[in-house]
Amino acid sequence: MPHNRRLLIATAFLSSSLCCLAQTDSATKAKQILRIEQSLADAIAPGDTSIWNKYLDPKCYTITEDGTGYFKKEFLATFGPLPKGFSGYIKVTHPVFSFIGNTAVIHYVADEYEQVFGQKLHTTYGIANTWVQNGGSWKMIGSQVFEIPQLPPAIKATTQILRSYTGSYQMNDNNTCTISLINDTLFLQKKTGSPVALFAETENVFFRQADTRGRKIFVKNDTGEMLMLERRNGNDLVWKRIK
């Protein structure tokens, strides 16, 4: 076999071996972090801060689901056991890892199941944590948590109420839409777009299946004119019904 061919084969074998080693190393690190993450999740219901104190770096900064930021000491001070009548647990699911040197970023879904005086609740959170390995041990240096929005169950509104919201609405001269009633469902159509079904959360608050955060709210102003408020995160776009 020519010398240069043997060299190419040896180089390819070495590259393949190094790639396999890197993948094996990443898989090992991922398993380590997942075990730690689940142990941290298990410590939330009883309010056990010891495991959190062990793995949080002294400078770790955490942003909770309501947007509040805490350094380690302040964050641990928020811990406490679930109140009497409350119980629950959290599963770490759908993990995704990114490794750069001794740093790892994990994003996962915290799948929370809770019982409140016998009633069942189910909530999911998106969590992104940053870990640094130093001397063989892992420390969390940053965390961001957000609650994953979910749609509520729809209620049955009467035909009379639904019909009272139908008509043409205008935000300005260039933006109009139509609210129509087909069978027992309201539909919203903007300009040349396709009609979109609206489902009742209450008798005057509606949602779309494709939008977990937005709401359409029908109210009357001080002069009795019907308005449709497109609400997202506390902000409203106002549409006025026109004749």
Side-chain angles (χ1 to χ4, degrees):
M1 181 182 295
H3 175 73
N4 60 345
R5 179 163 181 158
R6 289 200 302 269
L7 180 60
L8 287 173
I9 293 174
T11 302
F13 177 76
L14 178 60
S15 298
S16 177
S17 299
L18 290 174
C19 181
C20 291
L21 286 173
Q23 291 176 349
T24 302
D25 184 50
S26 295
T28 300
K29 291 178 178 179
K31 290 179 181 179
Q32 292 172 348
I33 294 173
L34 278 175
R35 284 195 295 267
I36 298 171
E37 291 283 10
Q38 188 59 62
S39 67
L40 294 174
D42 293 340
I44 291 177
D48 181 7
T49 60
S50 61
I51 188 75
W52 285 84
N53 185 57
K54 176 182 178 181
Y55 287 110
L56 263 60
D57 185 87
K59 295 182 180 180
C60 182
Y61 191 69
T62 299
I63 301 175
T64 58
E65 62 268 24
D66 64 359
T68 304
Y70 300 95
F71 284 104
K72 178 179 179 178
K73 182 179 179 180
E74 291 77 18
F75 177 64
L76 294 181
T78 66
F79 273 63
L82 291 177
K84 185 178 181 180
F86 288 64
S87 63
Y89 61 93
I90 297 172
K91 293 181 179 179
V92 175
T93 65
H94 302 90
V96 177
F97 283 92
S98 179
F99 293 96
I100 300 178
N102 67 338
T103 303
V105 176
I106 176 176
H107 174 265
Y108 66 89
V109 175
D111 198 10
E112 181 182 63
Y113 295 83
E114 190 173 3
Q115 289 201 36
V116 180
F117 298 104
Q119 298 189 48
K120 295 181 179 180
L121 299 176
H122 179 216
T123 309
T124 53
Y125 298 87
I127 298 179
N129 292 337
T130 302
W131 293 84
V132 172
Q133 191 178 39
N134 189 5
S137 62
W138 289 98
K139 293 289 185 181
M140 187 191 299
I141 61 172
S143 178
Q144 185 163 5
V145 182
F146 65 91
E147 189 169 9
I148 300 173
Q150 298 183 39
L151 290 172
I155 69 165
K156 179 79 172 177
T158 66
T159 301
Q160 181 180 0
I161 289 175
L162 296 177
R163 188 176 291 116
S164 70
Y165 302 140
T166 60
S168 297
Y169 290 75
Q170 183 180 58
M171 184 167 61
N172 57 35
D173 292 340
N174 297 318
N175 289 278
T176 59
C177 70
T178 301
I179 300 294
S180 58
L181 179 63
I182 301 176
N183 296 326
D184 58 353
T185 302
L186 283 183
F187 284 83
L188 165 67
Q189 184 172 18
K190 294 183 178 180
K191 291 189 176 180
T192 59
S194 300
V196 178
L198 300 180
F199 300 92
E201 182 174 355
T202 70
E203 288 189 341
N204 73 315
V205 179
F206 293 77
F207 61 89
R208 297 181 299 139
Q209 286 288 354
D211 184 4
T212 57
R213 297 185 299 150
R215 295 294 186 270
K216 315 297 181 187
I217 304 173
F218 294 93
V219 294
K220 290 184 177 180
N221 61 15
D222 293 339
T223 61
E225 297 174 299
M226 182 64 71
L227 306 177
M228 181 182 69
L229 310 180
E230 287 194 309
R231 179 167 296 174
R232 182 182 292 272
N233 198 29
N235 293 279
D236 293 335
L237 290 175
V238 181
W239 298 72
K240 181 186 296 186
R241 187 163 62 183
I242 55 179
K243 295 181 180 179

